[in-house]
Amino acid sequence: MPRLNIAIIGAGPAGCMLACLLLQGQTANTPAISLTIFEAETSFNFRAQYGTLEFHPRTGVAALKVAGLYTEFFKYARYDGSALRVKLSALEDGDPEIVRVQLRTMLLAALPEGTVEWGFKLEGVVQEQGAQEGDPLLFLVAIRGGRSRLVALDGGASLGSLDQLYYRHNILQLHKQQLRSPTTKMTTENGGKVITIDNYRAEMSQYSADGPNQLYGLVDMGSNGIRFSISDLSVPRLLHCIYRERAPISLYDALHESTPTSKEFHFSPSIIQRVADTMARFASICESYRVPKDRISVFATEAMRTAENRDEILAAIKKSSGLLVDILSPGMESLFGAMGARSGYTAVDGLFMDLGGGSVQMTYVNSGLEDGYDILAAGAARSLPFGAAKLTLALSVQDTAHATKTELRTRMKDTFDELTHKFPHLKWQSESKEGITIYFCGGGFRGYGSMLMHTDPIQPYPVPAIGGYTVPGNRFVKWQEMLHVNNHEEGKIFGMSKRRREQFPAIGSVVQSLVQAIPKIKQVIFCSGGNREGVLYMKLPPIIRESNPLALLPGGAPNQDPEVLDSIVQTLVTAMPEGYPIIISPEILHFVARNTWQAMGDPDGANSAKALHNPITGMLAGLPGMTHEIRAIIALTMSARWGNDLGPVDQAVHDNLRALVGHETAWWCDYIGTLASFLATIMPALPVGEKSLDEIVRFLAMTSNGLGKKGHHVGIRLKALVSSKAHRGVLIGDLEGMFKKVGKGMPLKWKVEAEVENF
């Protein structure tokens, strides 16, 4: 009996169901089947899947029984939009529904590996050589607004919808289809490429130190707005942004306009013109900054993926600006979002989530895993169709609001559970006493972070930027309190636009679902990085990506001798007994060493204020590598280097930074800053060699009790051996007295007893 070579066009529910039925129906008396499903989309997650499908017991459910998927289906099915999971005894009553993405996942899992060929677009169908004219050639096509249908290309009538496959599949005579010019790029003459996990390394330009400059232009055409930036990668790991702008054009809203002339999933002519003009402006700005044309990248996400007249808007953009738009698959959107957030830190281990206008992404990133952790995270990422703008619209319809919230909670929990099964370490964290860390990016989550910052116990909160803001889990979960503030506080809330406040109930629903899905949340960290930073980050070679950005922070005189700086750090460490906070890293001490001898001609008061503000609103404010706690540590330490000589306004900022890091860490900042001031006093210029430093000063330090006049205090006994030449003209008593101010005004009564001797 000859083998049947069967091609099914389309890996939607109908195509996958047909494949399952055909494979399940093979017997010793039927021909062997070689079956392939060809799908134009480049991956399972190419776009978000929406809504539910209803199955009738005598047709759709019957097909599931024949396909051997009856029991599996009812793990996910529900009735009348209810989240109630049904028992097998109730299967015969009513019409069960299933979330579309769960159905597709179930069907794909039931097929042999490799059955689906992703990225093959049907361009034509020809009859197999030797086939008779009139023999039916069958394929599946997707029809917007309806369901997938089985169609006979010989002119026969449609064989019906998914429910009718059960009655039809066993009488079909299928012949081989041949596809011309399969493509994995899905390009048009007006657009760029579809960027997927499989092709992004080949399709994206990579970082190069060559060229007239190191400037890169990026445009992120998101669902809630179009963001543009120019970054200088002269120090590539810092991803230093030198220009940014946002055009308040919601592509999601544009696709769902409700005007007499609007068409759903179509951009109107006015929106197309507005976007084209905006892109022309961006191109002109790039030209004025002299950004090389081959280093300008434009990428679009959910809204552009679903637009019916995508080619029309891409053509307008190309005509007005000369720019081509790449379209990110959901997997790439998750990868760039997660890596953009990850780029702000040295090492990460936790959930990464991005809440945009059209979708919310979730994955797990652990930079301590083997090489390729980024691709592993992207492969595990899931895109859920509950973006802030989309969810706001869905919740505004009273009849569907409850069902939408139910589906959101179900999908959120299922997605998290799937990740814990894939990553054992995440599962262990979720079951531990401490819980998991979550990193948030995207405008929706940053809006929630702004509300938490607005209600933070430390007021006024001393660090304005949301990037690096860290909140303990027991505060994060108070979404009801945040909703109350949003609904009842009429004044301006920093970081919250009018549009973001209108979307806040939807954002709160996402947070509520997340809280219900995760057993224990240790802390959440809000990130400033997003898709644009992720694109830049992934252009870099791995050795640069994984380097510590703290070690690259600007500051200090040019051409400082690295060996001398290392020697200064080691000298500081000898004055710090074991037990100081681990967050005070060698990189932070290196920054202190580089900047101790800066601005020696300026007044101490000016230097204290500059040092205090540099990490939070100054030159370091937009650079990666720092949580708010690290920014506060650098600010407090460098302010102490200049004696904390602050005016009333800056003193309030200083006190709130101390509250942010806690009393113990704040004390150590005071102590280390005083050590730096001590070194600058006995060495008014940076040493010229590492050996000369050892000839000038040596420290011996230990923790001790019995300190103070009455011997009631604990703290540090410090012995400083200083060459007589180094302190010439400076009284030993004055040098020892510098340490009496450490911790002044703080609740901790720790003391430093310093003894200075000549050698």
Side-chain angles (χ1 to χ4, degrees), residues 466-646:
I466 191 67
Y469 180 50
T470 305
V471 178
N474 59 4
R475 271 205 73 225
F476 171 76
V477 301
K478 297 181 179 180
W479 55 271
Q480 290 170 307
E481 293 183 18
M482 300 304 107
L483 281 174
H484 180 82
V485 173
N486 185 71
N487 294 337
H488 293 88
E489 188 159 329
E490 296 182 357
K492 168 69 177 175
I493 295 178
F494 180 74
M496 296 286 287
S497 65
K498 179 182 178 182
R499 177 179 175 82
R500 191 67 68 206
R501 292 193 69 170
E502 290 171 349
Q503 294 177 348
F504 199 79
I507 296 169
S509 294
V510 173
V511 172
Q512 177 190 8
S513 299
L514 183 62
V515 169
Q516 293 172 344
I518 299 177
K520 178 72 173 178
I521 299 174
K522 175 184 178 181
Q523 63 179 356
V524 301
I525 301 174
F526 294 91
C527 308
S528 57
N531 280 339
R532 286 170 299 160
E533 289 78 9
V535 170
L536 287 176
Y537 186 73
M538 294 306 293
K539 288 179 181 290
L540 303 177
I543 192 171
I544 295 178
R545 287 206 305 263
E546 300 307 315
S547 61
N548 189 335
L550 275 178
L552 303 170
L553 295 179
N559 303 318
Q560 291 178 326
D561 187 340
E563 293 184 352
V564 171
L565 294 175
D566 289 343
S567 181
I568 293 170
V569 170
Q570 290 304 313
T571 300
L572 290 172
V573 170
T574 61
M576 299 165 59
E578 290 186 6
Y580 63 88
I582 192 172
I583 194 172
I584 302 177
S585 64
E587 289 77 18
I588 290 178
L589 295 178
H590 210 276
F591 180 86
V592 172
R594 293 202 311 274
N595 289 274
T596 289
W597 284 269
Q598 283 295 97
M600 295 284 281
D602 294 340
D604 287 358
N607 282 338
S608 289
K610 285 190 295 184
L612 186 74
H613 289 280
N614 186 26
I616 58 176
T617 56
M619 181 173 58
L620 304 182
L623 297 181
M626 294 177 281
T627 61
H628 283 194
E629 187 176 7
I630 291 176
R631 292 186 185 279
I633 287 170
I634 293 175
L636 292 171
T637 302
M638 295 312 299
S639 177
R641 151 67 184 98
W642 296 102
N644 290 324
D645 188 6
L646 300 167

Side-chain angles (χ1 to χ4, degrees), residues 87-144:
K87 297 181 180 180
L88 290 178
S89 60
L91 293 187
E92 303 306 323
D93 298 324
D95 298 336
E97 295 178 353
I98 187 171
V99 175
R100 188 181 294 268
V101 70
Q102 291 175 334
L103 173 64
R104 196 180 189 196
T105 300
M106 178 189 74
L107 292 172
L108 286 171
L111 295 172
E113 186 175 354
T115 298
V116 179
E117 291 283 356
W118 301 98
F120 282 77
K121 184 178 181 181
L122 181 68
E123 294 189 356
V125 180
V126 297
Q127 287 185 323
E128 183 179 15
Q129 186 175 1
Q132 299 297 314
E133 184 175 355
D135 283 349
L137 293 169
L138 305 175
F139 75 111
L140 293 167
V141 295
I143 303 174
R144 175 165 290 283

Side-chain angles (χ1 to χ4, degrees), residues 68-259:
L69 298 171
Y70 181 68
T71 302
E72 185 70 16
F73 172 80
F74 280 97
K75 291 180 181 179
Y76 309 103
R78 62 198 192 196
Y79 285 84
D80 298 325
S82 170
L84 179 65
R85 301 300 176 92
V86 298
K87 297 181 180 180
L88 290 178
S89 60
L91 293 187
E92 303 306 323
D93 298 324
D95 298 336
E97 295 178 353
I98 187 171
V99 175
R100 188 181 294 268
V101 70
Q102 291 175 334
L103 173 64
R104 196 180 189 196
T105 300
M106 178 189 74
L107 292 172
L108 286 171
L111 295 172
E113 186 175 354
T115 298
V116 179
E117 291 283 356
W118 301 98
F120 282 77
K121 184 178 181 181
L122 181 68
E123 294 189 356
V125 180
V126 297
Q127 287 185 323
E128 183 179 15
Q129 186 175 1
Q132 299 297 314
E133 184 175 355
D135 283 349
L137 293 169
L138 305 175
F139 75 111
L140 293 167
V141 295
I143 303 174
R144 175 165 290 283
R147 290 179 285 186
S148 294
R149 295 183 179 275
L150 192 62
V151 179
L153 287 186
D154 65 346
S158 164
L159 295 181
S161 66
L162 179 63
D163 279 335
Q164 298 173 2
L165 283 176
Y166 169 60
Y167 294 107
R168 305 283 187 172
H169 84 275
N170 57 350
I171 61 171
L172 301 180
Q173 297 178 12
L174 302 179
H175 290 260
K176 181 179 179 182
Q177 294 182 9
Q178 298 176 351
L179 299 179
R180 293 202 302 256
S181 304
T183 175
T184 60
K185 295 183 179 180
M186 298 174 63
T187 60
T188 73
E189 61 178 346
N190 297 312
K193 302 165 286 292
V194 173
I195 306 298
T196 69
I197 300 298
D198 296 327
N199 70 12
Y200 86 96
R201 293 190 189 278
E203 300 292 357
M204 283 178 50
S205 62
Q206 299 300 301
Y207 165 78
S208 171
D210 299 329
N213 56 48
Q214 291 301 310
L215 299 182
Y216 289 76
L218 291 173
V219 182
D220 177 5
M221 301 183 69
S223 296
N224 252 344
I226 301 176
R227 294 169 176 83
F228 168 71
S229 63
I230 298 174
S231 297
D232 184 355
L233 299 192
S234 297
V235 183
R237 179 61 180 87
L238 294 183
L239 308 178
H240 184 206
C241 182
I242 62 173
Y243 182 89
R244 70 175 70 233
E245 187 175 306
R246 179 183 181 274
I249 303 173
S250 171
L251 296 180
Y252 177 83
D253 289 351
L255 284 180
H256 299 84
E257 290 181 324
S258 56
T259 64

Side-chain angles (χ1 to χ4, degrees), residues 245-373:
E245 187 175 306
R246 179 183 181 274
I249 303 173
S250 171
L251 296 180
Y252 177 83
D253 289 351
L255 284 180
H256 299 84
E257 290 181 324
S258 56
T259 64
T261 59
S262 63
K263 294 175 63 179
E264 190 177 21
F265 294 104
H266 283 73
F267 293 119
S268 68
S270 61
I271 285 292
I272 291 175
Q273 186 60 53
R274 187 179 173 193
V275 170
D277 290 343
T278 298
M279 299 300 286
R281 169 179 167 79
F282 292 163
S284 176
I285 293 172
C286 277
E287 184 177 359
S288 65
Y289 272 79
R290 294 182 172 82
V291 179
K293 290 185 178 180
D294 61 349
R295 290 180 177 173
I296 302 175
S297 301
V298 185
F299 49 89
T301 55
E302 173 78 7
M304 197 67 75
R305 288 196 297 263
T306 57
E308 289 286 345
N309 60 340
R310 178 175 63 195
D311 286 348
E312 187 177 347
I313 192 171
L314 295 180
I317 291 171
K318 181 181 178 182
K319 182 178 179 180
S320 69
S321 65
L323 299 175
L324 299 179
V325 181
D326 292 334
I327 298 176
L328 303 183
S329 69
M332 285 310 301
E333 188 177 352
S334 296
L335 174 63
F336 287 149
M339 291 301 107
R342 182 263 177 275
S343 70
Y345 307 101
T346 303
V348 296
D349 179 12
L351 276 187
F352 275 69
M353 298 190 67
D354 183 348
L355 178 58
S359 60
V360 57
Q361 324 283 332
M362 180 190 292
T363 191
Y364 172 67
V365 181
N366 184 349
S367 59
L369 296 177
E370 69 276 5
D371 292 342
Y373 71 87

